[in-house]
Amino acid sequence: MLNSRFMLVALACAMFSSAHATNATCDPASLNTTSFNYVNDIENQTVHEMAVKFNRGVCDIGRANLMVDVSVVPNVGQTIIIPAEVCDPDWTTCIIDGPGTNDCLIGGPRLYYTLNGDTLWKIAGRLNMTLDAVQCGGDGCNTNVTCTDGICPGGSGGQYSANETISAGQFIKIPMCYPSICEIEPYSFTAGVYKDLADKYGSTVGQIQMLSPTYNYSYITSEGGTPPPIGMPKNCRLLASNYTILD
């Protein structure tokens, strides 16, 4: 986990330094201000790699496509909007900086549905939970636990290591805090990435994802289409200072 955190911070710092260097010498007249659709034709190509390839900020691409999280790996054949080139590309404001601090999920829900490229380390970050809580649940790791019919108990037990890629379409049970609550309402997703919504409405990226589990991104809105409807958890909070973990 420490190695992954170091690599993420190092990458962000490198991109941030590069962006500042670009800004210091940037001539707006030289920029490619045309946005275009890019059909991903490379398996396991990340959004970061696309951003480097086209000299765009990874967060600029994420927000242009209403992405869940820029760490989700696009599938081959997905259409990604590449926005106009800018002097100040954004490499940092959409990044989730590793696992969080909570030992259970405040307000639920229970089941996390994995997306392409997910790892327990990424999932813990999206849920603002510790890696141990997501990996092992409230009672500690049990290496004898296995997943049945795609449902993994107790945060998946010893089924996966922290940085092992989990197949998309798996349900992982997440330990929940009791008593706690989230308010939920329908929402038209018109701008940003899930991190923007989570920060604004008092939830987490993972909780928003769990309410619309098969959603990944959308380029339709930028082309005049209807914004995707999603479920929005809001004001997630504990209802008592003492709580138990429902695992």
Side-chain angles (χ1 to χ4, degrees):
M1 180 179 70
L2 291 177
N3 185 51
S4 296
R5 186 185 295 273
F6 174 79
M7 290 175 63
L8 180 63
V9 172
L11 176 62
C13 289
M15 296 303 184
F16 186 72
S17 298
S18 175
H20 272 261
T22 300
N23 181 55
T25 59
C26 181
D27 176 8
S30 68
L31 297 176
N32 180 355
T33 57
T34 301
S35 64
F36 61 93
N37 290 349
Y38 169 70
V39 179
N40 181 37
D41 59 353
I42 302 175
E43 188 172 3
N44 295 322
Q45 179 177 218
T46 67
V47 181
H48 281 87
E49 289 168 340
M50 293 180 188
V52 172
K53 177 188 294 185
F54 296 114
N55 196 32
R56 268 63 165 179
V58 68
C59 297
D60 299 323
I61 293 178
R63 293 189 173 102
N65 292 275
L66 304 180
M67 289 184 174
V68 168
D69 180 15
V70 294
S71 72
V72 177
V73 179
N75 294 313
V76 170
Q78 283 188 207
T79 299
I80 304 295
I81 292 177
I82 305 300
E85 195 174 7
V86 295
C87 284
D88 294 297
D90 186 349
W91 289 94
T92 59
T93 63
C94 68
I95 301 299
I96 300 171
D97 187 21
T101 57
N102 294 334
D103 55 5
C104 51
L105 187 58
I106 298 174
R110 173 63 159 159
L111 293 178
Y112 179 95
Y113 184 82
T114 57
L115 297 177
N116 199 32
D118 271 0
T119 65
L120 292 180
W121 194 81
K122 291 180 183 179
I123 294 169
R126 291 182 197 150
L127 294 172
N128 191 29
M129 292 173 62
T130 67
L131 178 62
D132 283 347
V134 171
Q135 186 172 31
C136 306
D139 297 323
C141 283
N142 179 356
T143 57
N144 295 320
V145 170
T146 57
C147 299
T148 303
D149 296 329
I151 298 179
C152 307
S156 79
Q159 186 76 3
Y160 302 104
S161 61
N163 294 298
E164 179 182 353
T165 300
I166 305 170
S167 298
Q170 302 295 309
F171 284 101
I172 294 179
K173 291 182 179 179
I174 301 298
M176 298 180 294
C177 308
Y178 175 83
S180 65
I181 192 172
C182 291
E183 302 162 18
I184 299 175
E185 65 179 43
Y187 185 85
S188 291
F189 188 17
T190 59
V193 291
Y194 273 14
K195 184 177 184 297
D196 300 326
L197 302 181
D199 291 345
K200 180 177 181 179
Y201 291 108
S203 57
T204 68
V205 169
Q207 286 171 303
I208 303 172
Q209 181 183 336
M210 291 159 84
L211 292 182
S212 302
T214 59
Y215 179 84
N216 179 356
Y217 80 111
S218 176
Y219 70 94
I220 300 298
T221 302
S222 297
E223 298 189 342
T226 302
I230 60 174
M232 176 61 66
K234 302 173 63 177
N235 303 319
C236 298
R237 59 198 184 275
L238 291 169
L239 296 178
S241 57
N242 294 322
Y243 62 90
T244 58
I245 299 175
L246 301 182
D247 192 24

